[in-house]
Every structure is written in structure tokens, then in C-alpha cells.
Amino acid sequence: MNMPPVRQPDLPDPEKLDAVYRFATGWAQRMEKSRVMEYTELLYSPWRLIWLNLLSGVARGVGIAIGFTFFAATIIYVLQVLGALNLPIIGDYIADIVRIVQHQLQLNTY
């Protein structure tokens, strides 16, 4: 009985191996940058996740409040400057706003 010769598998080219190595290392680096491990660890500790979300929500709320305060102060300052110029159209508009606010303040006596 004659056995066929055992065929050795063809070894891949070094260029192909180098390309596969670069591809795998690139993916490994991207996974490290995305911090997947820290995220999965965070999912296993729900109290820490709740605490971090609470802190980020409070910080976001305080930031919005401070930002709105500066925005509103800027708008009020601009309206005061425009009111001081006695421009006919803008002055009438500001006077209407002042009348509406004064009327509301008289209605709502706390």
C-alpha cells in the first residue's frame, strides 16, 4: 500500500503576516483608547454608576444655571443700554415689557 506524500502547508508571505499584525495591533490600540474595560467594570458596580450619574447631573445643572444667569444678565444689560438711547421702536417695546411686568407684579401679591 502506497501512501501519498504528506503535503506541507504553504507558509504565508511575511508581508501578509506583517499586514495582519499591524491590523490586529491597530484594533488593540483602538480598544484600549475606548476604555471598554473600565466601562464594563462600571456596569458591574451599579452604586458607583448611580453616584457618577448623580454627580454629572448636578454638575450639568449647575453649569446650565450659571450659563443662563450670565446670558440673562447680558440681555438685561443690552436692553438697558438700548432703553437709555430712547430709540422710538425699541423704546416702545421695552416700555411695553416694563408695563407687563409691573402689571403682573401688582396681580401677584405674595
Side-chain angles (χ1 to χ4, degrees):
M1 187 148 163
N2 229 356
M3 298 271 290
V6 176
R7 183 172 169 259
Q8 293 291 330
D10 294 333
L11 294 174
D13 297 336
E15 295 166 356
K16 288 181 184 177
L17 282 176
D18 190 40
V20 169
Y21 174 76
R22 279 185 277 126
F23 181 75
T25 359
W27 268 104
Q29 288 174 350
R30 280 189 224 116
M31 292 285 279
E32 284 292 323
K33 283 182 185 175
S34 68
R35 300 169 58 175
V36 173
M37 187 172 185
E38 286 90 359
Y39 179 70
T40 52
E41 287 175 0
L42 187 62
L43 289 177
Y44 284 113
S45 63
W47 289 111
R48 185 164 190 267
L49 181 63
I50 290 170
W51 177 247
L52 288 176
N53 282 329
L54 180 71
L55 284 178
S56 66
V58 168
R60 195 172 296 125
V62 168
I64 289 172
I66 291 172
F68 181 74
T69 302
F70 282 125
F71 178 73
T74 304
I75 295 296
I76 290 172
Y77 177 74
V78 168
L79 286 176
Q80 284 178 347
V81 169
L82 289 176
L85 293 177
N86 275 339
L87 299 174
I89 297 172
I90 298 175
D92 293 340
Y93 179 70
I94 294 173
D96 288 339
I97 292 175
V98 169
R99 269 189 239 111
I100 291 171
V101 169
Q102 286 176 347
H103 181 69
Q104 287 296 324
L105 287 175
Q106 289 173 356
L107 290 179
N108 295 328
T109 55
Y110 295 107

